[in-house]
Amino acid sequence: MDLKISNLGVVKEAKIDLNRKFYVFVGYNNSGKTQIAQLLWAIFNDDTTQGFKKAHRFKELEDKNEVEITAQLLRKITNRFASFITKKILPETYNVEKNHFLIKNAKIKFKYHYNEFFSKKQENEVNLYKDGEKELLLFNLEKKANEGILKLSKKIKDFKTLQDKGAPVELVDKLNNHDLLLEFILRILFFAYHEPFYLPASRLFYPIFYQYVNRVEKEKREEMSRRLFSMKGTRDENLNNLFSFRSPYTKPMG
């Protein structure tokens, strides 16, 4: 799969092969290396996958134990995923507003060849663990090589059994066919099994970064004190605005 990028900060046009598991960016200062690295981190981050599942539904995956994945369905999923990242994830990742010049005209697109998906083999198990040991096999997801069929096998017949085993309610709520299948597809598409890790290569990064964070936090505390001392008859409904600070630096990566 290729990632196509346009108008992301100083990066006017770029294409990256997402079939790699290791990326190194080399270039001059302010040439977009960090922006691209953060974008890849966001794409591969499990939080992005979970957020996408909550925000999007695909009728093709609803209440299905077996589903045929067509080129049309893959295109539909990847297009929505690209739009979700552009509109929702990029502002959070870069810690800017949606109309900020950095991302205002940004566009990303995933170019995917169906044969890549068709040829892959993948199998996942969803288990219930207790005290570190597997208690119960809940579901099994399977895709055979050179086959476009995804199979979801339920090993548990009803949720009461799950609750009897001590499964939390929030886990039970998440174990629906649609979300399991969608996450399975995304993991096949984007190699999301490895945790993304971002490491700046400059040896100066660490002392500079921590000095920067300390300065930002100091300024934030000073601003908080200034607001508190300037309060006169502040009404309760204004307290939320008083204590609403947005982090002025980008989301930590690791």
Side-chain angles (χ1 to χ4, degrees):
M1 176 187 289
D2 289 332
L3 168 65
K4 292 189 173 183
I5 308 165
S6 59
N7 300 317
L8 178 62
V10 299
V11 180
K12 299 306 177 185
E13 296 288 340
K15 184 172 77 170
I16 299 176
D17 181 2
L18 294 184
N19 291 324
R20 309 299 179 186
K21 293 188 177 181
F22 188 82
Y23 301 88
V24 176
F25 298 99
V26 180
Y28 294 107
N29 290 343
N30 301 317
S31 60
K33 301 187 302 296
T34 299
Q35 294 165 7
I36 297 298
Q38 288 176 312
L39 172 60
L40 290 183
W41 176 84
I43 290 172
F44 292 128
N45 194 325
D46 188 60
D47 288 343
T48 302
T49 301
Q50 302 307 320
F52 181 69
K53 285 195 311 181
K54 292 179 180 178
H56 292 269
R57 307 297 295 184
F58 296 88
K59 62 181 181 181
E60 297 89 342
L61 306 179
E62 294 282 7
D63 301 319
K64 298 287 183 64
N65 292 323
E66 184 174 306
V67 59
E68 181 180 3
I69 307 300
T70 63
Q72 181 181 7
L73 178 56
L74 283 183
R75 185 164 55 249
K76 183 177 180 180
I77 292 173
T78 53
N79 285 346
R80 285 196 193 177
F81 193 57
S83 177
F84 175 75
I85 291 172
T86 304
K87 296 177 181 179
K88 174 68 176 175
I89 302 301
L90 288 187
E92 295 178 357
T93 300
Y94 297 135
N95 195 19
V96 296
E97 301 299 329
K98 293 180 180 179
N99 60 351
H100 192 276
F101 70 90
L102 181 68
I103 62 173
K104 184 177 181 180
N105 298 314
K107 292 182 180 179
I108 68 170
K109 184 177 182 180
F110 299 109
K111 186 177 181 182
Y112 200 81
H113 299 289
Y114 179 71
N115 286 341
E116 292 182 49
F117 184 89
F118 187 78
S119 62
K120 287 179 181 176
K121 176 183 178 181
Q122 190 74 43
E123 187 171 3
N124 279 24
E125 286 186 353
V126 179
N127 298 298
L128 178 64
Y129 287 86
K130 188 175 182 181
D131 299 328
E133 296 186 5
K134 187 167 70 173
E135 177 92 357
L136 191 67
L137 175 62
L138 306 180
F139 295 95
N140 185 71
L141 293 140
E142 182 183 21
K143 183 201 171 299
K144 295 181 178 179
N146 300 316
E147 188 175 293
I149 304 296
L150 298 188
K151 294 182 180 180
L152 172 60
S153 302
K154 292 186 178 181
K155 305 300 182 182
I156 198 74
K157 297 302 180 183
D158 57 78
F159 286 144
K160 185 178 184 305
T161 305
L162 280 177
Q163 293 169 334
D164 291 343
K165 290 289 185 179
V169 175
E170 57 269 22
L171 172 63
V172 174
D173 291 340
K174 291 178 181 178
L175 295 180
N176 63 80
N177 292 28
H178 176 278
D179 288 0
L180 287 167
L181 288 168
L182 180 56
E183 182 169 356
F184 190 47
I185 292 169
L186 290 173
R187 290 188 181 278
I188 295 174
L189 288 172
F190 293 100
F191 295 92
Y193 278 101
H194 63 280
E195 291 294 331
F197 181 79
Y198 170 79
L199 179 65
S202 171
R203 68 183 66 183
L204 296 177
F205 166 76
Y206 296 101
I208 292 174
F209 177 77
Y210 285 110
Q211 289 176 19
Y212 172 61
V213 171
N214 287 334
R215 176 175 62 80
V216 167
E217 293 298 325
K218 179 176 179 290
E219 291 174 354
K220 187 170 70 173
R221 290 193 297 272
E222 290 174 350
E223 174 66 10
M224 171 72 81
S225 298
R226 185 189 65 78
R227 291 190 190 185
L228 286 172
F229 281 113
S230 65
M231 288 173 59
K232 291 183 179 180
T234 302
R235 299 178 63 182
D236 290 343
E237 57 264 30
N238 293 328
L239 289 178
N240 287 334
N241 293 330
L242 174 67
F243 295 104
S244 61
F245 285 97
R246 188 177 185 187
S247 171
Y249 38 82
T250 56
K251 190 174 181 181
M253 300 182 184

